[in-house]
Amino acid sequence: MNRLNKKGAWIVEVLACLLVFLWVYTAVSKLASAEEFRAQLANQVFKKGFTEVLFFLLPTVELMAAVLLCWRSFRLLGFGLSLLLMLAFTGYVGLILIGFFPRVPCSCGGVLKVLGWKSHFVFNLFFTAVAAIGYIFTYKERRWVSVKT
């Protein structure tokens, strides 16, 4: 029997599902209104060349994280990628909140555009915690299974 009890395994499943929903929603939202997403990126504080890279990279990586979370054998990688994405997004919003940038860029798309920056930061902290807890649980489970065999 694996180290995580049924409750722990159920928690990992719920955390993975939350992140899959988040990544699929955000990627589809970006792709469904691609020109709006491109305009939002152009209004960011990044250089033009970097915004073009982000235009293609962000939805691709978000969908990749969602796919990795769907298969148990790749779930640790999916949680790790989700954690990295959330740390980057949360750090960016944190920099906006402390006034690091000379101007406040436009808000995110989808449902997040109705949130203020503080609410967005809290939202991101929640999903950063989801990714971190999922990563830790999955890592411990893998470690326990490899020690046992």
Side-chain angles (χ1 to χ4, degrees):
M1 184 95 176
N2 54 20
R3 187 165 186 212
L4 280 181
N5 58 25
K6 288 183 182 183
K7 183 179 180 182
W10 182 80
I11 290 170
V12 169
E13 292 294 324
V14 169
L15 297 177
C17 286
L18 284 170
L19 287 167
V20 167
F21 177 77
L22 173 71
W23 297 133
V24 169
Y25 173 78
T26 57
V28 168
S29 175
K30 288 175 177 82
L31 295 171
S33 38
E35 289 312 310
E36 181 183 355
F37 176 52
R38 180 170 278 165
Q40 289 172 337
L41 284 174
N43 193 37
Q44 302 300 312
V45 294
F46 308 121
K47 293 183 180 182
K48 184 171 174 55
F50 189 59
T51 61
E52 281 302 307
V53 170
L54 287 176
F55 177 74
F56 294 102
L57 188 65
L58 284 176
T60 303
V61 174
E62 290 167 346
L63 289 173
M64 190 168 45
V67 168
L68 291 170
L69 287 163
C70 290
W71 281 275
R72 283 192 178 95
S73 56
F74 296 107
R75 193 162 281 165
L76 185 65
L77 187 57
F79 278 122
L81 182 56
S82 295
L83 182 58
L84 288 174
L85 284 167
M86 288 312 305
L87 286 170
F89 294 152
T90 305
Y92 181 68
V93 174
L95 290 173
I96 290 168
L97 285 173
I98 64 169
F100 181 80
F101 300 112
R103 62 181 172 78
V104 176
C106 61
S107 65
C108 292
V111 73
L112 294 180
K113 67 179 151 190
V114 301
L115 296 178
W117 287 110
K118 288 180 185 176
S119 298
H120 192 155
F121 187 72
V122 171
F123 178 91
N124 283 9
L125 285 176
F126 171 78
F127 278 99
T128 301
V130 166
I133 293 166
Y135 183 87
I136 291 166
F137 274 39
T138 305
Y139 176 80
K140 285 183 177 182
E141 176 62 17
R142 297 275 166 88
R143 202 170 115 208
W144 174 256
V145 169
S146 68
V147 167
K148 224 178 154 184
T149 56

